[in-house]
Amino acid sequence: MLLRINETIEKNMLIILMIFIIIAFIKPDYFNWMPQYYIDFLLMGIMFIVGLKINYGDFLPLIKYPKYICLGVIGHFIIMPLMALLISIVLNLNDALTIGLILLGACPSGTTSNVITYLCKGDTALSVGITICTTIMSIIITPILTLLLINSNINYYVADIGMSIILCVIIPLILGMLINHNFKKSSEKISVIAPSASIILISLMLSIIISVNSNDIASNWIIATVAVILLSFSGHIITYIIGKILKLPKDKFYTLFIDLGMKNSGLAASLAAESFPMFYMATIPGAIYSIWQNIWGIILLRIIRELKKKNILSE
C-alpha cells in the first residue's frame, strides 16, 4: 500500500507540485501562517533524504574525473554567477530579484541534474560527483560570490550565508550518509518513501515562499521567470560551446550540458529568506527556478533523447 502511494506521488510529481503552488497563490492564508524559517527545516529534510542515497563510493569521481569535476565547478561558481549578474543588469531587475538571481547563480549543482543525467544515460557518477563537490565548496565560495557580486550598499552578514549552508545542507547531508552507511537496513526502509517525501517537502517549501510573496509574484512573475529561464539556458549554451571546443567524450558532454542548467534552487530560496529578510522578494527567483527546473527537466530529457538519436549531440 505504502509502495503504491509512493509510486503514485512520484509519477504525478509535477501535478502535485502545481496543485500546491496554485493553492498557495490563490489561498495564501493556507500557508503564510508558517514562519519563513520553516523553509530551512524543509531544506534540511530534503538534504537528509539526499544523504540517505549517497555512498562513500560516490566520492570516487572527485579522484577519477578531476578535469571534468573542475569544469563543473568553474561552470557553477564562475560562469553561472556572472551570467546571473549580467542578466539582472540587462533586465534591470530590482535589488530583491537581483539578490535572488545572484544567490541562485552562486549556489551548487542540484540533485535534479543527477536524475536527468541518469535517465539520459550520461555519466551519473560524474554528475553526483559535481553535486557533492560544489555543495561542499559552497560553504566558502557562495558567501564570497555574494560579497563580490551583490551591491555593496546592501547590508547583510556574509558569514550567515556560510553558516546557513552548513546547518541546512552539509550537516543533514552528512547525517543521511552516516545513517546510510551504518544502518543500512533502516536506511533502505526509509528510502522506500524518500522520493515521495522529497516531493512533499519541496512542494511545502515552494508553497510557503509563494504564499508570503503572492502579491509581488503577481506583479513580477513574468520578469522573474524570464530571468531564471535565461540563466538556465545560458548554462546549457555555454557548456555546449565549451564541450565542442574541448571535444569532450559523449557521456561527459551530456552530463556537463545537463548539470550547468540545474541548480540547488531550494538552497537559493532558503539563503534569501534567512540572510536577506528585508528583501523578501529575493526568494522568488529560487521558487520559480524550482518550478521551471522540474518542467524543463522533463522537456530536456525528451530533447536530448531525440538529439542523440539523430546524432546531433555528438563528440
Side-chain angles (χ1 to χ4, degrees):
M1 182 64 179
L2 189 61
L3 190 60
R4 282 186 181 180
I5 294 172
N6 186 65
E7 288 175 353
T8 302
I9 292 174
E10 281 189 77
K11 288 178 181 178
N12 297 284
M13 175 182 175
L14 195 55
I15 295 172
I16 292 170
L17 193 64
M18 294 310 297
I19 289 172
F20 270 85
I21 289 167
I22 291 168
I23 292 173
F25 190 75
I26 296 174
K27 297 288 185 180
D29 290 345
Y30 289 2
F31 296 100
N32 64 14
W33 58 270
M34 290 184 277
Q36 285 206 52
Y37 62 75
Y38 276 33
I39 295 171
D40 294 343
F41 292 116
L42 293 169
L43 181 60
M44 287 178 190
I46 293 166
M47 297 313 299
F48 173 74
I49 290 169
V50 171
L52 289 174
K53 298 180 180 180
I54 296 177
N55 298 301
Y56 294 145
D58 292 327
F59 288 88
L60 291 177
L62 306 184
I63 302 170
K64 191 176 179 182
Y65 308 124
K67 179 173 74 174
Y68 303 116
I69 294 290
C70 284
L71 285 174
V73 170
I74 290 169
H76 280 290
F77 291 140
I78 295 179
I79 294 173
M80 295 300 277
L82 290 176
M83 289 306 302
L85 179 61
L86 178 62
I87 291 166
S88 66
I89 293 171
V90 171
L91 296 181
N92 194 28
L93 300 181
N94 61 37
D95 284 344
L97 293 180
T98 297
I99 290 168
L101 196 67
I102 288 174
L103 282 172
L104 186 59
C107 275
S109 172
T111 55
T112 303
S113 65
N114 307 153
V115 176
I116 301 301
T117 299
Y118 171 76
L119 295 174
C120 288
K121 298 182 180 178
D123 192 327
T124 308
L126 173 60
S127 179
V128 173
I130 292 173
T131 300
I132 292 172
C133 186
T134 53
T135 298
I136 294 170
M137 293 177 69
S138 68
I139 300 171
I140 296 173
I141 295 181
T142 299
I144 291 174
L145 287 171
T146 57
L147 183 64
L148 292 174
L149 300 179
I150 291 176
N151 191 325
S152 59
N153 294 323
I154 295 173
N155 295 319
Y156 65 99
Y157 295 103
V158 177
D160 286 352
I161 295 175
M163 186 57 66
S164 292
I165 294 172
I166 292 171
L167 292 175
C168 298
V169 177
I170 302 299
I171 291 176
L173 194 70
I174 292 173
L175 183 59
M177 287 174 56
L178 291 173
I179 291 176
N180 184 35
H181 181 72
N182 296 301
F183 304 96
K184 202 69 180 177
K185 290 184 178 179
S186 299
S187 176
E188 288 173 357
K189 289 179 180 179
I190 298 173
S191 294
V192 173
I193 61 167
S196 57
S198 294
I199 293 167
I200 299 301
L201 291 176
I202 291 169
S203 299
L204 282 171
M205 179 188 292
L206 292 179
S207 297
I208 294 172
I209 294 169
I210 290 167
S211 65
V212 172
N213 299 286
S214 56
N215 292 330
D216 293 306
I217 289 175
S219 56
N220 292 278
W221 72 270
I222 294 177
I223 191 70
T225 301
V226 169
V228 299
I229 290 176
L230 284 175
L231 182 62
S232 177
F233 280 1
S234 65
H236 295 311
I237 292 168
I238 293 172
T239 308
Y240 182 86
I241 294 169
I242 293 173
K244 287 297 183 181
I245 293 172
L246 298 179
K247 296 181 179 180
L248 299 178
K250 277 188 179 182
D251 59 339
K252 307 298 184 294
F253 178 74
Y254 298 141
T255 302
L256 288 167
F257 178 81
I258 294 165
D259 198 85
L260 263 295
M262 304 284 177
K263 284 284 192 175
N264 189 335
S265 51
L267 175 59
S270 177
L271 290 177
E274 185 72 25
S275 301
F276 299 90
M278 69 294 291
F279 294 96
Y280 50 90
M281 281 175 58
T283 58
I284 293 175
I288 292 177
Y289 200 91
S290 293
I291 302 165
W292 162 252
Q293 202 162 229
N294 286 285
I295 296 171
W296 175 236
I298 296 169
I299 297 170
L300 183 61
L301 175 60
R302 294 179 180 177
I303 291 173
I304 290 179
R305 283 176 174 174
E306 286 301 313
L307 292 177
K308 287 175 75 173
K309 285 179 184 177
K310 297 176 181 178
N311 206 33
I312 295 175
L313 282 177
S314 57
E315 294 180 84

mmCIF file of all heavy atoms in Angstrom, residues 82-114:
data_model
loop_
_atom_site.group_PDB
_atom_site.id
_atom_site.type_symbol
_atom_site.label_atom_id
_atom_site.label_comp_id
_atom_site.label_asym_id
_atom_site.label_seq_id
_atom_site.Cartn_x
_atom_site.Cartn_y
_atom_site.Cartn_z
ATOM 1 N N LEU A 82 28.268 34.968 -12.875
ATOM 2 C CA LEU A 82 28.477 36.112 -13.762
ATOM 3 C C LEU A 82 27.302 36.288 -14.721
ATOM 4 O O LEU A 82 26.894 37.421 -15.014
ATOM 5 C CB LEU A 82 29.782 35.955 -14.549
ATOM 6 C CG LEU A 82 31.069 36.086 -13.723
ATOM 7 C CD1 LEU A 82 32.292 35.814 -14.595
ATOM 8 C CD2 LEU A 82 31.169 37.461 -13.068
ATOM 9 N N MET A 83 26.754 35.175 -15.208
ATOM 10 C CA MET A 83 25.583 35.255 -16.080
ATOM 11 C C MET A 83 24.384 35.800 -15.312
ATOM 12 O O MET A 83 23.587 36.574 -15.851
ATOM 13 C CB MET A 83 25.258 33.880 -16.658
ATOM 14 C CG MET A 83 26.239 33.369 -17.703
ATOM 15 S SD MET A 83 26.514 34.525 -19.068
ATOM 16 C CE MET A 83 24.857 34.734 -19.702
ATOM 17 N N ALA A 84 24.250 35.415 -14.045
ATOM 18 C CA ALA A 84 23.152 35.929 -13.206
ATOM 19 C C ALA A 84 23.267 37.438 -13.052
ATOM 20 O O ALA A 84 22.269 38.163 -13.153
ATOM 21 C CB ALA A 84 23.181 35.255 -11.833
ATOM 22 N N LEU A 85 24.492 37.924 -12.818
ATOM 23 C CA LEU A 85 24.715 39.362 -12.692
ATOM 24 C C LEU A 85 24.406 40.078 -14.008
ATOM 25 O O LEU A 85 23.728 41.115 -14.018
ATOM 26 C CB LEU A 85 26.166 39.627 -12.282
ATOM 27 C CG LEU A 85 26.565 41.101 -12.132
ATOM 28 C CD1 LEU A 85 25.740 41.788 -11.048
ATOM 29 C CD2 LEU A 85 28.057 41.226 -11.826
ATOM 30 N N LEU A 86 24.888 39.515 -15.114
ATOM 31 C CA LEU A 86 24.657 40.113 -16.431
ATOM 32 C C LEU A 86 23.165 40.184 -16.753
ATOM 33 O O LEU A 86 22.661 41.220 -17.223
ATOM 34 C CB LEU A 86 25.389 39.300 -17.505
ATOM 35 C CG LEU A 86 25.212 39.764 -18.966
ATOM 36 C CD1 LEU A 86 25.756 41.173 -19.134
ATOM 37 C CD2 LEU A 86 25.909 38.792 -19.919
ATOM 38 N N ILE A 87 22.448 39.100 -16.496
ATOM 39 C CA ILE A 87 21.001 39.047 -16.771
ATOM 40 C C ILE A 87 20.255 40.078 -15.920
ATOM 41 O O ILE A 87 19.349 40.761 -16.400
ATOM 42 C CB ILE A 87 20.448 37.627 -16.517
ATOM 43 C CG1 ILE A 87 20.985 36.659 -17.572
ATOM 44 C CG2 ILE A 87 18.924 37.619 -16.523
ATOM 45 C CD1 ILE A 87 20.774 35.191 -17.238
ATOM 46 N N SER A 88 20.653 40.207 -14.656
ATOM 47 C CA SER A 88 19.984 41.172 -13.766
ATOM 48 C C SER A 88 20.202 42.607 -14.251
ATOM 49 O O SER A 88 19.315 43.455 -14.121
ATOM 50 C CB SER A 88 20.485 41.008 -12.330
ATOM 51 O OG SER A 88 21.855 41.366 -12.218
ATOM 52 N N ILE A 89 21.384 42.872 -14.824
ATOM 53 C CA ILE A 89 21.678 44.213 -15.353
ATOM 54 C C ILE A 89 20.878 44.468 -16.633
ATOM 55 O O ILE A 89 20.259 45.521 -16.797
ATOM 56 C CB ILE A 89 23.190 44.375 -15.622
ATOM 57 C CG1 ILE A 89 23.969 44.355 -14.300
ATOM 58 C CG2 ILE A 89 23.469 45.672 -16.388
ATOM 59 C CD1 ILE A 89 25.477 44.291 -14.465
ATOM 60 N N VAL A 90 20.918 43.492 -17.547
ATOM 61 C CA VAL A 90 20.223 43.634 -18.834
ATOM 62 C C VAL A 90 18.722 43.807 -18.629
ATOM 63 O O VAL A 90 18.074 44.634 -19.291
ATOM 64 C CB VAL A 90 20.498 42.416 -19.742
ATOM 65 C CG1 VAL A 90 19.609 42.451 -20.988
ATOM 66 C CG2 VAL A 90 21.967 42.394 -20.160
ATOM 67 N N LEU A 91 18.145 43.036 -17.698
ATOM 68 C CA LEU A 91 16.701 43.109 -17.456
ATOM 69 C C LEU A 91 16.328 44.205 -16.466
ATOM 70 O O LEU A 91 15.139 44.410 -16.186
ATOM 71 C CB LEU A 91 16.192 41.757 -16.933
ATOM 72 C CG LEU A 91 16.305 40.564 -17.897
ATOM 73 C CD1 LEU A 91 15.747 39.301 -17.239
ATOM 74 C CD2 LEU A 91 15.583 40.841 -19.211
ATOM 75 N N ASN A 92 17.355 44.876 -15.910
ATOM 76 C CA ASN A 92 17.127 45.958 -14.954
ATOM 77 C C ASN A 92 16.261 45.495 -13.775
ATOM 78 O O ASN A 92 15.265 46.139 -13.408
ATOM 79 C CB ASN A 92 16.472 47.162 -15.654
ATOM 80 C CG ASN A 92 16.529 48.428 -14.804
ATOM 81 O OD1 ASN A 92 17.437 48.594 -13.988
ATOM 82 N ND2 ASN A 92 15.544 49.299 -14.966
ATOM 83 N N LEU A 93 16.636 44.393 -13.182
ATOM 84 C CA LEU A 93 15.886 43.844 -12.059
ATOM 85 C C LEU A 93 16.062 44.712 -10.819
ATOM 86 O O LEU A 93 17.097 45.358 -10.646
ATOM 87 C CB LEU A 93 16.371 42.420 -11.742
ATOM 88 C CG LEU A 93 16.245 41.372 -12.848
ATOM 89 C CD1 LEU A 93 16.761 40.025 -12.337
ATOM 90 C CD2 LEU A 93 14.802 41.230 -13.322
ATOM 91 N N ASN A 94 15.055 44.733 -9.963
ATOM 92 C CA ASN A 94 15.187 45.472 -8.706
ATOM 93 C C ASN A 94 16.163 44.744 -7.786
ATOM 94 O O ASN A 94 16.597 43.630 -8.075
ATOM 95 C CB ASN A 94 13.823 45.668 -8.032
ATOM 96 C CG ASN A 94 13.140 44.352 -7.685
ATOM 97 O OD1 ASN A 94 13.785 43.381 -7.299
ATOM 98 N ND2 ASN A 94 11.827 44.322 -7.817
ATOM 99 N N ASP A 95 16.514 45.384 -6.672
ATOM 100 C CA ASP A 95 17.533 44.825 -5.773
ATOM 101 C C ASP A 95 17.171 43.426 -5.277
ATOM 102 O O ASP A 95 18.021 42.532 -5.218
ATOM 103 C CB ASP A 95 17.743 45.750 -4.566
ATOM 104 C CG ASP A 95 18.561 46.979 -4.927
ATOM 105 O OD1 ASP A 95 19.202 46.964 -5.995
ATOM 106 O OD2 ASP A 95 18.550 47.949 -4.140
ATOM 107 N N ALA A 96 15.909 43.232 -4.899
ATOM 108 C CA ALA A 96 15.487 41.946 -4.337
ATOM 109 C C ALA A 96 15.632 40.809 -5.347
ATOM 110 O O ALA A 96 16.184 39.748 -5.045
ATOM 111 C CB ALA A 96 14.046 42.033 -3.847
ATOM 112 N N LEU A 97 15.138 41.022 -6.564
ATOM 113 C CA LEU A 97 15.234 39.978 -7.592
ATOM 114 C C LEU A 97 16.680 39.762 -8.022
ATOM 115 O O LEU A 97 17.074 38.629 -8.332
ATOM 116 C CB LEU A 97 14.374 40.348 -8.800
ATOM 117 C CG LEU A 97 12.855 40.356 -8.580
ATOM 118 C CD1 LEU A 97 12.130 40.743 -9.862
ATOM 119 C CD2 LEU A 97 12.375 38.976 -8.104
ATOM 120 N N THR A 98 17.471 40.824 -8.020
ATOM 121 C CA THR A 98 18.900 40.694 -8.341
ATOM 122 C C THR A 98 19.601 39.837 -7.306
ATOM 123 O O THR A 98 20.384 38.939 -7.655
ATOM 124 C CB THR A 98 19.582 42.093 -8.404
ATOM 125 O OG1 THR A 98 18.993 42.848 -9.459
ATOM 126 C CG2 THR A 98 21.069 41.945 -8.659
ATOM 127 N N ILE A 99 19.322 40.087 -6.035
ATOM 128 C CA ILE A 99 19.904 39.277 -4.959
ATOM 129 C C ILE A 99 19.517 37.808 -5.131
ATOM 130 O O ILE A 99 20.356 36.912 -5.049
ATOM 131 C CB ILE A 99 19.432 39.786 -3.572
ATOM 132 C CG1 ILE A 99 20.072 41.140 -3.258
ATOM 133 C CG2 ILE A 99 19.785 38.782 -2.474
ATOM 134 C CD1 ILE A 99 19.458 41.847 -2.060
ATOM 135 N N GLY A 100 18.239 37.577 -5.376
ATOM 136 C CA GLY A 100 17.747 36.209 -5.538
ATOM 137 C C GLY A 100 18.389 35.500 -6.715
ATOM 138 O O GLY A 100 18.756 34.320 -6.620
ATOM 139 N N LEU A 101 18.548 36.208 -7.837
ATOM 140 C CA LEU A 101 19.135 35.605 -9.037
ATOM 141 C C LEU A 101 20.624 35.322 -8.842
ATOM 142 O O LEU A 101 21.120 34.268 -9.259
ATOM 143 C CB LEU A 101 18.929 36.520 -10.250
ATOM 144 C CG LEU A 101 19.147 35.855 -11.616
ATOM 145 C CD1 LEU A 101 18.067 34.809 -11.878
ATOM 146 C CD2 LEU A 101 19.148 36.886 -12.735
ATOM 147 N N ILE A 102 21.333 36.238 -8.193
ATOM 148 C CA ILE A 102 22.765 36.021 -7.935
ATOM 149 C C ILE A 102 22.966 34.869 -6.960
ATOM 150 O O ILE A 102 23.874 34.045 -7.133
ATOM 151 C CB ILE A 102 23.419 37.320 -7.410
ATOM 152 C CG1 ILE A 102 23.522 38.339 -8.553
ATOM 153 C CG2 ILE A 102 24.804 37.038 -6.832
ATOM 154 C CD1 ILE A 102 24.019 39.704 -8.125
ATOM 155 N N LEU A 103 22.134 34.797 -5.925
ATOM 156 C CA LEU A 103 22.208 33.657 -4.995
ATOM 157 C C LEU A 103 21.989 32.343 -5.742
ATOM 158 O O LEU A 103 22.681 31.351 -5.503
ATOM 159 C CB LEU A 103 21.164 33.801 -3.884
ATOM 160 C CG LEU A 103 21.488 34.767 -2.743
ATOM 161 C CD1 LEU A 103 20.273 34.931 -1.835
ATOM 162 C CD2 LEU A 103 22.685 34.265 -1.940
ATOM 163 N N LEU A 104 21.037 32.359 -6.659
ATOM 164 C CA LEU A 104 20.749 31.175 -7.465
ATOM 165 C C LEU A 104 21.964 30.795 -8.307
ATOM 166 O O LEU A 104 22.375 29.621 -8.349
ATOM 167 C CB LEU A 104 19.542 31.451 -8.359
ATOM 168 C CG LEU A 104 18.980 30.292 -9.180
ATOM 169 C CD1 LEU A 104 18.535 29.153 -8.286
ATOM 170 C CD2 LEU A 104 17.812 30.781 -10.025
ATOM 171 N N GLY A 105 22.566 31.785 -8.960
ATOM 172 C CA GLY A 105 23.741 31.517 -9.781
ATOM 173 C C GLY A 105 24.933 31.047 -8.973
ATOM 174 O O GLY A 105 25.762 30.275 -9.466
ATOM 175 N N ALA A 106 25.021 31.497 -7.714
ATOM 176 C CA ALA A 106 26.163 31.166 -6.864
ATOM 177 C C ALA A 106 25.972 29.888 -6.056
ATOM 178 O O ALA A 106 26.872 29.479 -5.322
ATOM 179 C CB ALA A 106 26.442 32.337 -5.918
ATOM 180 N N CYS A 107 24.802 29.265 -6.187
ATOM 181 C CA CYS A 107 24.530 28.030 -5.451
ATOM 182 C C CYS A 107 25.101 26.811 -6.188
ATOM 183 O O CYS A 107 25.358 26.869 -7.390
ATOM 184 C CB CYS A 107 23.019 27.852 -5.247
ATOM 185 S SG CYS A 107 22.401 28.723 -3.797
ATOM 186 N N PRO A 108 25.289 25.697 -5.486
ATOM 187 C CA PRO A 108 25.852 24.494 -6.115
ATOM 188 C C PRO A 108 24.864 23.789 -7.024
ATOM 189 O O PRO A 108 23.707 24.199 -7.160
ATOM 190 C CB PRO A 108 26.205 23.616 -4.906
ATOM 191 C CG PRO A 108 25.233 24.042 -3.840
ATOM 192 C CD PRO A 108 25.062 25.520 -4.043
ATOM 193 N N SER A 109 25.344 22.735 -7.644
ATOM 194 C CA SER A 109 24.506 21.900 -8.513
ATOM 195 C C SER A 109 23.377 21.261 -7.708
ATOM 196 O O SER A 109 23.533 20.983 -6.519
ATOM 197 C CB SER A 109 25.385 20.820 -9.144
ATOM 198 O OG SER A 109 24.603 19.875 -9.837
ATOM 199 N N GLY A 110 22.251 21.025 -8.366
ATOM 200 C CA GLY A 110 21.107 20.403 -7.690
ATOM 201 C C GLY A 110 20.965 18.932 -8.053
ATOM 202 O O GLY A 110 21.509 18.469 -9.064
ATOM 203 N N THR A 111 20.241 18.204 -7.235
ATOM 204 C CA THR A 111 20.077 16.767 -7.462
ATOM 205 C C THR A 111 19.210 16.459 -8.683
ATOM 206 O O THR A 111 19.234 15.333 -9.180
ATOM 207 C CB THR A 111 19.457 16.089 -6.225
ATOM 208 O OG1 THR A 111 18.231 16.748 -5.880
ATOM 209 C CG2 THR A 111 20.403 16.161 -5.037
ATOM 210 N N THR A 112 18.458 17.452 -9.173
ATOM 211 C CA THR A 112 17.664 17.235 -10.386
ATOM 212 C C THR A 112 18.560 16.835 -11.545
ATOM 213 O O THR A 112 18.201 15.996 -12.371
ATOM 214 C CB THR A 112 16.882 18.514 -10.760
ATOM 215 O OG1 THR A 112 16.066 18.909 -9.665
ATOM 216 C CG2 THR A 112 15.994 18.277 -11.984
ATOM 217 N N SER A 113 19.763 17.422 -11.596
ATOM 218 C CA SER A 113 20.706 17.104 -12.677
ATOM 219 C C SER A 113 21.125 15.635 -12.625
ATOM 220 O O SER A 113 21.338 15.009 -13.667
ATOM 221 C CB SER A 113 21.941 18.001 -12.589
ATOM 222 O OG SER A 113 22.677 17.750 -11.408
ATOM 223 N N ASN A 114 21.240 15.086 -11.409
ATOM 224 C CA ASN A 114 21.625 13.675 -11.259
ATOM 225 C C ASN A 114 20.564 12.756 -11.857
ATOM 226 O O ASN A 114 20.884 11.785 -12.547
ATOM 227 C CB ASN A 114 21.823 13.322 -9.784
ATOM 228 C CG ASN A 114 22.783 14.255 -9.058
ATOM 229 O OD1 ASN A 114 22.672 14.422 -7.857
ATOM 230 N ND2 ASN A 114 23.702 14.881 -9.762
#
